[in-house]
mmCIF file of all heavy atoms in Angstrom:
data_model
loop_
_atom_site.group_PDB
_atom_site.id
_atom_site.type_symbol
_atom_site.label_atom_id
_atom_site.label_comp_id
_atom_site.label_asym_id
_atom_site.label_seq_id
_atom_site.Cartn_x
_atom_site.Cartn_y
_atom_site.Cartn_z
ATOM 1 N N ASP L 1 98.475 109.178 96.269
ATOM 2 C CA ASP L 1 97.475 110.166 95.855
ATOM 3 C C ASP L 1 96.107 109.603 95.522
ATOM 4 O O ASP L 1 95.190 110.352 95.173
ATOM 5 C CB ASP L 1 97.996 110.953 94.650
ATOM 6 C CG ASP L 1 98.199 110.095 93.408
ATOM 7 O OD1 ASP L 1 98.002 108.865 93.486
ATOM 8 O OD2 ASP L 1 98.546 110.667 92.356
ATOM 9 N N GLY L 2 95.920 108.279 95.584
ATOM 10 C CA GLY L 2 94.628 107.712 95.215
ATOM 11 C C GLY L 2 94.392 107.646 93.718
ATOM 12 O O GLY L 2 93.310 107.231 93.278
ATOM 13 N N ARG L 3 95.370 108.053 92.936
ATOM 14 C CA ARG L 3 95.269 108.003 91.475
ATOM 15 C C ARG L 3 96.305 107.054 90.883
ATOM 16 O O ARG L 3 95.972 106.092 90.213
ATOM 17 C CB ARG L 3 95.454 109.415 90.884
ATOM 18 C CG ARG L 3 94.358 110.395 91.241
ATOM 19 C CD ARG L 3 94.686 111.782 90.715
ATOM 20 N NE ARG L 3 94.832 111.792 89.257
ATOM 21 C CZ ARG L 3 95.618 112.632 88.599
ATOM 22 N NH1 ARG L 3 96.342 113.528 89.258
ATOM 23 N NH2 ARG L 3 95.678 112.586 87.284
ATOM 24 N N PHE L 4 97.563 107.327 91.179
ATOM 25 C CA PHE L 4 98.609 106.414 90.707
ATOM 26 C C PHE L 4 98.510 105.067 91.414
ATOM 27 O O PHE L 4 98.789 104.031 90.833
ATOM 28 C CB PHE L 4 99.986 107.029 90.937
ATOM 29 C CG PHE L 4 101.114 106.165 90.463
ATOM 30 C CD1 PHE L 4 101.334 105.952 89.114
ATOM 31 C CD2 PHE L 4 101.968 105.546 91.366
ATOM 32 C CE1 PHE L 4 102.356 105.124 88.658
ATOM 33 C CE2 PHE L 4 103.000 104.728 90.929
ATOM 34 C CZ PHE L 4 103.194 104.518 89.575
ATOM 35 N N VAL L 5 98.149 105.100 92.677
ATOM 36 C CA VAL L 5 97.898 103.879 93.450
ATOM 37 C C VAL L 5 96.517 103.982 94.082
ATOM 38 O O VAL L 5 96.018 105.080 94.316
ATOM 39 C CB VAL L 5 98.970 103.668 94.548
ATOM 40 C CG1 VAL L 5 100.322 103.385 93.933
ATOM 41 C CG2 VAL L 5 99.047 104.881 95.483
ATOM 42 N N PRO L 6 95.873 102.851 94.399
ATOM 43 C CA PRO L 6 94.504 102.875 94.926
ATOM 44 C C PRO L 6 94.444 103.133 96.422
ATOM 45 O O PRO L 6 93.745 102.422 97.148
ATOM 46 C CB PRO L 6 93.977 101.483 94.566
ATOM 47 C CG PRO L 6 95.187 100.619 94.624
ATOM 48 C CD PRO L 6 96.329 101.473 94.111
ATOM 49 N N ASN L 7 95.166 104.123 96.881
ATOM 50 C CA ASN L 7 95.154 104.436 98.310
ATOM 51 C C ASN L 7 95.634 105.875 98.473
ATOM 52 O O ASN L 7 96.354 106.407 97.627
ATOM 53 C CB ASN L 7 96.078 103.484 99.066
ATOM 54 C CG ASN L 7 95.839 103.516 100.569
ATOM 55 O OD1 ASN L 7 94.844 104.066 101.045
ATOM 56 N ND2 ASN L 7 96.744 102.929 101.331
ATOM 57 N N ILE L 8 95.248 106.510 99.557
ATOM 58 C CA ILE L 8 95.705 107.849 99.909
ATOM 59 C C ILE L 8 96.388 107.753 101.267
ATOM 60 O O ILE L 8 95.816 107.189 102.211
ATOM 61 C CB ILE L 8 94.531 108.853 99.967
ATOM 62 C CG1 ILE L 8 93.885 108.985 98.588
ATOM 63 C CG2 ILE L 8 95.030 110.215 100.456
ATOM 64 C CD1 ILE L 8 92.622 109.829 98.579
ATOM 65 N N SER L 9 97.595 108.271 101.376
ATOM 66 C CA SER L 9 98.299 108.176 102.650
ATOM 67 C C SER L 9 98.392 109.546 103.319
ATOM 68 O O SER L 9 97.571 109.906 104.137
ATOM 69 C CB SER L 9 99.702 107.577 102.454
ATOM 70 O OG SER L 9 100.465 108.347 101.528
ATOM 71 N N PHE L 10 99.389 110.328 102.952
ATOM 72 C CA PHE L 10 99.572 111.670 103.521
ATOM 73 C C PHE L 10 100.302 112.520 102.497
ATOM 74 O O PHE L 10 100.822 112.020 101.493
ATOM 75 C CB PHE L 10 100.337 111.612 104.847
ATOM 76 C CG PHE L 10 101.593 110.788 104.799
ATOM 77 C CD1 PHE L 10 102.764 111.274 104.229
ATOM 78 C CD2 PHE L 10 101.617 109.500 105.331
ATOM 79 C CE1 PHE L 10 103.918 110.516 104.175
ATOM 80 C CE2 PHE L 10 102.779 108.726 105.290
ATOM 81 C CZ PHE L 10 103.923 109.239 104.716
ATOM 82 N N GLY L 11 100.344 113.825 102.762
ATOM 83 C CA GLY L 11 100.942 114.732 101.792
ATOM 84 C C GLY L 11 101.942 115.673 102.392
ATOM 85 O O GLY L 11 102.596 115.368 103.408
ATOM 86 N N MET L 12 102.041 116.862 101.799
ATOM 87 C CA MET L 12 103.072 117.819 102.179
ATOM 88 C C MET L 12 103.027 118.224 103.651
ATOM 89 O O MET L 12 104.052 118.400 104.290
ATOM 90 C CB MET L 12 102.966 119.090 101.319
ATOM 91 C CG MET L 12 103.900 119.127 100.154
ATOM 92 S SD MET L 12 103.161 118.492 98.650
ATOM 93 C CE MET L 12 101.822 119.620 98.344
ATOM 94 N N MET L 13 101.825 118.377 104.195
ATOM 95 C CA MET L 13 101.716 118.888 105.569
ATOM 96 C C MET L 13 102.360 117.925 106.569
ATOM 97 O O MET L 13 103.066 118.354 107.477
ATOM 98 C CB MET L 13 100.241 119.124 105.930
ATOM 99 C CG MET L 13 99.626 120.288 105.157
ATOM 100 S SD MET L 13 97.901 120.556 105.600
ATOM 101 C CE MET L 13 98.068 121.078 107.302
ATOM 102 N N VAL L 14 102.118 116.622 106.378
ATOM 103 C CA VAL L 14 102.725 115.643 107.284
ATOM 104 C C VAL L 14 104.245 115.600 107.071
ATOM 105 O O VAL L 14 105.012 115.580 108.034
ATOM 106 C CB VAL L 14 102.102 114.247 107.060
ATOM 107 C CG1 VAL L 14 102.884 113.180 107.829
ATOM 108 C CG2 VAL L 14 100.645 114.238 107.492
ATOM 109 N N VAL L 15 104.671 115.599 105.809
ATOM 110 C CA VAL L 15 106.111 115.580 105.516
ATOM 111 C C VAL L 15 106.786 116.805 106.142
ATOM 112 O O VAL L 15 107.860 116.700 106.749
ATOM 113 C CB VAL L 15 106.352 115.542 103.996
ATOM 114 C CG1 VAL L 15 107.845 115.683 103.689
ATOM 115 C CG2 VAL L 15 105.823 114.244 103.414
ATOM 116 N N GLU L 16 106.149 117.946 106.021
ATOM 117 C CA GLU L 16 106.729 119.182 106.577
ATOM 118 C C GLU L 16 106.849 119.118 108.102
ATOM 119 O O GLU L 16 107.877 119.511 108.677
ATOM 120 C CB GLU L 16 105.881 120.375 106.175
ATOM 121 C CG GLU L 16 106.438 121.711 106.640
ATOM 122 C CD GLU L 16 105.598 122.884 106.190
ATOM 123 O OE1 GLU L 16 104.502 122.667 105.665
ATOM 124 O OE2 GLU L 16 106.047 124.034 106.373
ATOM 125 N N GLN L 17 105.804 118.631 108.776
ATOM 126 C CA GLN L 17 105.836 118.557 110.227
ATOM 127 C C GLN L 17 106.875 117.559 110.708
ATOM 128 O O GLN L 17 107.605 117.818 111.663
ATOM 129 C CB GLN L 17 104.443 118.177 110.765
ATOM 130 C CG GLN L 17 103.386 119.249 110.559
ATOM 131 C CD GLN L 17 103.766 120.582 111.179
ATOM 132 O OE1 GLN L 17 104.177 120.649 112.335
ATOM 133 N NE2 GLN L 17 103.654 121.647 110.401
ATOM 134 N N VAL L 18 106.969 116.423 110.026
ATOM 135 C CA VAL L 18 107.996 115.433 110.374
ATOM 136 C C VAL L 18 109.381 116.008 110.141
ATOM 137 O O VAL L 18 110.305 115.839 110.948
ATOM 138 C CB VAL L 18 107.797 114.144 109.563
ATOM 139 C CG1 VAL L 18 109.000 113.207 109.737
ATOM 140 C CG2 VAL L 18 106.517 113.435 109.993
ATOM 141 N N GLY L 19 109.543 116.721 109.022
ATOM 142 C CA GLY L 19 110.842 117.303 108.684
ATOM 143 C C GLY L 19 111.337 118.305 109.713
ATOM 144 O O GLY L 19 112.550 118.527 109.832
ATOM 145 N N LYS L 20 110.434 118.919 110.468
ATOM 146 C CA LYS L 20 110.831 119.915 111.472
ATOM 147 C C LYS L 20 111.521 119.274 112.677
ATOM 148 O O LYS L 20 112.311 119.937 113.363
ATOM 149 C CB LYS L 20 109.600 120.689 111.948
ATOM 150 C CG LYS L 20 109.026 121.648 110.916
ATOM 151 C CD LYS L 20 107.801 122.357 111.461
ATOM 152 C CE LYS L 20 107.223 123.339 110.439
ATOM 153 N NZ LYS L 20 106.000 124.014 110.946
ATOM 154 N N VAL L 21 111.212 117.998 112.931
ATOM 155 C CA VAL L 21 111.756 117.352 114.126
ATOM 156 C C VAL L 21 112.696 116.197 113.817
ATOM 157 O O VAL L 21 113.519 115.827 114.659
ATOM 158 C CB VAL L 21 110.613 116.871 115.062
ATOM 159 C CG1 VAL L 21 109.814 118.048 115.566
ATOM 160 C CG2 VAL L 21 109.704 115.884 114.335
ATOM 161 N N LEU L 22 112.576 115.610 112.632
ATOM 162 C CA LEU L 22 113.412 114.460 112.285
ATOM 163 C C LEU L 22 114.876 114.866 112.161
ATOM 164 O O LEU L 22 115.201 115.835 111.492
ATOM 165 C CB LEU L 22 112.926 113.852 110.961
ATOM 166 C CG LEU L 22 113.695 112.637 110.441
ATOM 167 C CD1 LEU L 22 113.473 111.428 111.349
ATOM 168 C CD2 LEU L 22 113.274 112.316 109.006
ATOM 169 N N GLU L 23 115.753 114.106 112.808
ATOM 170 C CA GLU L 23 117.186 114.392 112.746
ATOM 171 C C GLU L 23 117.880 113.618 111.626
ATOM 172 O O GLU L 23 118.926 114.042 111.130
ATOM 173 C CB GLU L 23 117.842 114.054 114.093
ATOM 174 C CG GLU L 23 117.314 114.921 115.248
ATOM 175 C CD GLU L 23 117.907 114.515 116.582
ATOM 176 O OE1 GLU L 23 118.776 113.613 116.596
ATOM 177 O OE2 GLU L 23 117.487 115.072 117.616
ATOM 178 N N LYS L 24 117.298 112.499 111.215
ATOM 179 C CA LYS L 24 117.899 111.665 110.184
ATOM 180 C C LYS L 24 117.342 112.046 108.809
ATOM 181 O O LYS L 24 116.315 112.723 108.708
ATOM 182 C CB LYS L 24 117.663 110.190 110.506
ATOM 183 C CG LYS L 24 118.421 109.760 111.755
ATOM 184 C CD LYS L 24 118.286 108.285 112.044
ATOM 185 C CE LYS L 24 119.155 107.911 113.262
ATOM 186 N NZ LYS L 24 119.022 106.472 113.612
ATOM 187 N N PRO L 25 118.001 111.608 107.737
ATOM 188 C CA PRO L 25 117.524 111.955 106.390
ATOM 189 C C PRO L 25 116.118 111.411 106.124
ATOM 190 O O PRO L 25 115.744 110.334 106.592
ATOM 191 C CB PRO L 25 118.558 111.282 105.482
ATOM 192 C CG PRO L 25 119.794 111.184 106.302
ATOM 193 C CD PRO L 25 119.309 110.913 107.697
ATOM 194 N N MET L 26 115.366 112.192 105.347
ATOM 195 C CA MET L 26 113.995 111.815 104.992
ATOM 196 C C MET L 26 113.954 111.398 103.516
ATOM 197 O O MET L 26 114.313 112.157 102.630
ATOM 198 C CB MET L 26 113.027 112.966 105.262
ATOM 199 C CG MET L 26 111.583 112.603 105.013
ATOM 200 S SD MET L 26 110.403 113.678 105.888
ATOM 201 C CE MET L 26 111.020 115.307 105.495
ATOM 202 N N ASP L 27 113.511 110.167 103.316
ATOM 203 C CA ASP L 27 113.469 109.508 102.020
ATOM 204 C C ASP L 27 112.020 109.518 101.536
ATOM 205 O O ASP L 27 111.211 108.710 101.980
ATOM 206 C CB ASP L 27 113.993 108.074 102.216
ATOM 207 C CG ASP L 27 113.990 107.234 100.970
ATOM 208 O OD1 ASP L 27 114.174 107.789 99.878
ATOM 209 O OD2 ASP L 27 113.810 106.004 101.098
ATOM 210 N N VAL L 28 111.679 110.434 100.637
ATOM 211 C CA VAL L 28 110.289 110.639 100.223
ATOM 212 C C VAL L 28 110.012 109.904 98.911
ATOM 213 O O VAL L 28 110.634 110.178 97.887
ATOM 214 C CB VAL L 28 109.969 112.136 100.078
ATOM 215 C CG1 VAL L 28 108.554 112.338 99.558
ATOM 216 C CG2 VAL L 28 110.142 112.842 101.422
ATOM 217 N N HIS L 29 109.064 109.008 98.959
ATOM 218 C CA HIS L 29 108.680 108.167 97.817
ATOM 219 C C HIS L 29 107.322 108.635 97.324
ATOM 220 O O HIS L 29 106.303 108.433 97.980
ATOM 221 C CB HIS L 29 108.634 106.701 98.296
ATOM 222 C CG HIS L 29 108.160 105.737 97.259
ATOM 223 N ND1 HIS L 29 107.746 104.464 97.590
ATOM 224 C CD2 HIS L 29 108.039 105.833 95.912
ATOM 225 C CE1 HIS L 29 107.398 103.814 96.495
ATOM 226 N NE2 HIS L 29 107.553 104.637 95.474
ATOM 227 N N LEU L 30 107.312 109.257 96.135
ATOM 228 C CA LEU L 30 106.086 109.821 95.583
ATOM 229 C C LEU L 30 105.387 108.806 94.691
ATOM 230 O O LEU L 30 105.774 108.591 93.541
ATOM 231 C CB LEU L 30 106.396 111.091 94.798
ATOM 232 C CG LEU L 30 107.016 112.245 95.590
ATOM 233 C CD1 LEU L 30 107.206 113.460 94.680
ATOM 234 C CD2 LEU L 30 106.178 112.604 96.809
ATOM 235 N N MET L 31 104.355 108.195 95.209
ATOM 236 C CA MET L 31 103.505 107.299 94.409
ATOM 237 C C MET L 31 102.314 108.106 93.927
ATOM 238 O O MET L 31 101.166 107.911 94.343
ATOM 239 C CB MET L 31 103.071 106.101 95.259
ATOM 240 C CG MET L 31 104.193 105.126 95.542
ATOM 241 S SD MET L 31 103.694 103.746 96.586
ATOM 242 C CE MET L 31 104.195 104.412 98.188
ATOM 243 N N ILE L 32 102.623 109.072 93.044
ATOM 244 C CA ILE L 32 101.614 110.031 92.612
ATOM 245 C C ILE L 32 101.732 110.315 91.126
ATOM 246 O O ILE L 32 102.797 110.151 90.530
ATOM 247 C CB ILE L 32 101.730 111.359 93.399
ATOM 248 C CG1 ILE L 32 103.042 112.071 93.066
ATOM 249 C CG2 ILE L 32 101.619 111.125 94.891
ATOM 250 C CD1 ILE L 32 103.190 113.446 93.721
ATOM 251 N N GLU L 33 100.613 110.757 90.536
ATOM 252 C CA GLU L 33 100.626 111.243 89.169
ATOM 253 C C GLU L 33 101.204 112.658 89.144
ATOM 254 O O GLU L 33 101.120 113.396 90.129
ATOM 255 C CB GLU L 33 99.197 111.271 88.615
ATOM 256 C CG GLU L 33 98.525 109.905 88.532
ATOM 257 C CD GLU L 33 99.012 109.083 87.358
ATOM 258 O OE1 GLU L 33 99.801 109.637 86.535
ATOM 259 O OE2 GLU L 33 98.621 107.914 87.245
ATOM 260 N N GLU L 34 101.785 113.029 88.040
ATOM 261 C CA GLU L 34 102.320 114.382 87.812
ATOM 262 C C GLU L 34 103.198 114.890 88.966
ATOM 263 O O GLU L 34 102.949 115.968 89.519
ATOM 264 C CB GLU L 34 101.168 115.359 87.544
ATOM 265 C CG GLU L 34 100.320 114.984 86.342
ATOM 266 C CD GLU L 34 99.169 115.932 86.115
ATOM 267 O OE1 GLU L 34 98.359 116.132 87.051
ATOM 268 O OE2 GLU L 34 99.083 116.498 85.009
ATOM 269 N N PRO L 35 104.202 114.133 89.342
ATOM 270 C CA PRO L 35 105.028 114.544 90.483
ATOM 271 C C PRO L 35 105.735 115.873 90.266
ATOM 272 O O PRO L 35 106.080 116.561 91.245
ATOM 273 C CB PRO L 35 106.026 113.400 90.620
ATOM 274 C CG PRO L 35 106.090 112.792 89.255
ATOM 275 C CD PRO L 35 104.698 112.898 88.718
#
Protein backbone atom coordinates (compact mmCIF):
# COMPACT_ATOMS: atom_id res chain seq x y z
CA ASP A 1 0.00 0.00 0.00
CA GLY A 2 2.95 2.41 0.11
CA ARG A 3 2.31 2.98 3.82
CA PHE A 4 3.12 -0.22 5.67
CA VAL A 5 5.91 -0.83 3.15
CA PRO A 6 7.68 1.74 0.92
CA ASN A 7 6.22 0.41 -2.30
CA ILE A 8 2.88 0.04 -4.08
CA SER A 9 2.18 -3.15 -6.01
CA PHE A 10 -1.44 -3.96 -6.90
CA GLY A 11 -4.82 -4.18 -5.24
CA MET A 12 -8.25 -5.73 -5.38
CA MET A 13 -8.81 -5.27 -9.11
CA VAL A 14 -5.75 -7.31 -10.08
CA VAL A 15 -6.50 -9.97 -7.45
CA GLU A 16 -10.08 -10.22 -8.71
CA GLN A 17 -9.06 -10.57 -12.37
CA VAL A 18 -6.46 -13.21 -11.54
CA GLY A 19 -8.97 -15.03 -9.36
CA LYS A 20 -11.35 -15.38 -12.33
CA VAL A 21 -8.88 -17.50 -14.30
CA LEU A 22 -6.51 -19.03 -11.74
CA GLU A 23 -7.20 -22.72 -11.12
CA LYS A 24 -4.84 -23.12 -8.16
CA PRO A 25 -5.27 -21.59 -4.68
CA MET A 26 -4.49 -17.90 -4.31
CA ASP A 27 -2.31 -16.94 -1.35
CA VAL A 28 -2.86 -13.23 -0.65
CA HIS A 29 -0.26 -11.45 1.48
CA LEU A 30 -1.47 -8.06 2.70
CA MET A 31 1.46 -5.75 3.39
CA ILE A 32 -0.92 -2.94 4.26
CA GLU A 33 -2.11 -0.78 7.12
CA GLU A 34 -5.60 -1.40 8.52
CA PRO A 35 -6.17 -4.70 6.70
